[in-house]
Amino acid sequence: MDKALVSAVDGYIESLFLESDETLERTLRTSDGAGLPEIQISPAQGKLLYLLAKLVGAKRILEIGTLGGYSTIWLGRALPDGGELVTLEYEQLHAEVARSNLEHAGLGDRAQVVVGAALETLPGLEGGEPFDLVFIDADKENYPGYLKWAIKLTRPGGLILADNVVREGEVIDTESEDPFVQGVRMFNEMLAADPRAESVIIQLVGGKGYDGIALARRL
Ligand code: SAH
Ligand code: DHB
Ligand code: MG
């Protein structure tokens, strides 16, 4: 794949469909400044999440894997008045950076950052209102566990999304011993076989490389 061309087309898409946004730029600056890894979704992917959240009319959103809150802000902006977002993050530092960024984005009252290993904090969400959209984007080894929770916590007709399910194509390597690849492969197989959702994967290319996102509609 011609990486320079793919990056240039990403720039073209951004120039057409994304406005310069001081809040999002600040989020990237503060995240970088605090030493967080630069593994947030791309601007165009942020717009995609925002549009998908609006399309399902999401009033309650769950995110697994906050980082500095970049994707959280995109999703939070799709919420109507009175909407709510819960985002789960293992690292205390990431959570603090994200809280500050969400506050600056005017989402401090709508978005709640819950600190801890997601598999330990997810049970605390059971019994609450179901979610309209769940975005999975934390440690890939635990994607299979996150899928179980996403199915449990999403309303019928709701949307489950999972980032990084292609990983430069490594996902088709059946011999891979990379726990990241193994986690994602298991996730994809579980999702494909799950009768409680209808699903697909979309391959994504852009300035950040070659990856993909899984989309599942909860039945
Ligand atoms: N969604 C973010 C990127 C998330 S990166 C964005 O696009 O802007 C993945 C995040 O998951 C990191 O912040 C990492 O600390 C967090 N994470 C890793 N393991 C986790 C776990 N077990 N529980 C919750 N979060 C975890
Ligand atoms: C990486 C990328 C991601 O989008 C993510 O959520 C986690 C890790 C990575 O490139 O390592
Ligand atoms: Mg990701």
Side-chain angles (χ1 to χ4, degrees):
M1 204 168 351
D2 183 338
K3 282 198 169 188
L5 179 61
V6 163
S7 277
V9 173
D10 226 14
Y12 168 77
I13 294 167
E14 286 174 24
S15 73
L16 283 174
F17 298 103
L18 291 134
E19 288 160 13
S20 93
D21 188 316
E22 182 46 38
T23 302
L24 288 171
E25 279 154 26
R26 182 186 179 282
T27 295
L28 296 180
R29 278 199 310 275
T30 59
S31 299
D32 194 36
L36 273 52
E38 279 186 65
I39 53 174
Q40 71 286 339
I41 54 168
S42 72
Q45 210 184 331
K47 183 85 182 267
L48 174 66
L49 292 190
Y50 165 86
L51 288 170
L52 289 170
K54 286 212 155 177
L55 282 164
V56 294
K59 298 185 187 69
R60 281 176 55 77
I61 296 175
L62 171 63
E63 176 178 68
I64 307 176
T66 316
L67 195 64
Y70 183 83
S71 56
T72 323
I73 292 172
W74 274 109
L75 288 166
R77 285 177 171 174
L79 288 171
D81 284 344
E84 288 176 324
L85 188 155
V86 179
T87 181
L88 311 181
E89 174 53 53
Y90 179 70
E91 298 287 346
Q92 181 70 40
L93 172 65
H94 298 190
E96 279 165 22
V97 171
R99 282 190 187 120
S100 156
N101 286 325
L102 288 161
E103 195 65 47
H104 272 88
L107 294 167
D109 53 344
R110 282 183 199 188
Q112 186 198 352
V113 185
V114 177
V115 183
L119 287 176
E120 285 168 27
T121 55
L122 279 160
L125 299 171
E126 211 175 3
E129 290 246 321
F131 291 93
D132 306 297
L133 189 158
V134 177
F135 176 48
I136 300 171
D137 194 21
D139 51 321
K140 314 308 162 193
E141 296 85 342
N142 283 320
Y143 267 35
Y146 298 150
L147 178 59
K148 289 185 189 156
W149 280 104
I151 292 275
K152 201 179 289 204
L153 297 174
T154 304
R155 69 154 163 90
L159 179 63
I160 298 167
L161 300 169
D163 193 28
N164 310 117
V165 296
V166 170
R167 181 73 167 179
E168 305 283 345
E170 282 176 40
V171 71
I172 64 169
D173 180 0
T174 54
E175 310 285 289
S176 176
E177 285 175 14
D178 181 345
F180 184 124
V181 173
Q182 289 183 348
V184 166
R185 280 181 57 81
M186 176 67 70
F187 171 90
N188 291 340
E189 286 166 31
M190 281 170 59
L191 184 61
D194 199 311
R196 296 164 296 179
E198 41 189 8
S199 315
V200 77
I201 290 170
I202 298 181
Q203 302 192 63
L204 296 174
V205 291
K208 299 187 86 90
Y210 166 37
D211 216 316
I213 187 164
L215 285 90
R217 177 178 175 272
R218 180 73 165 93
L219 293 171

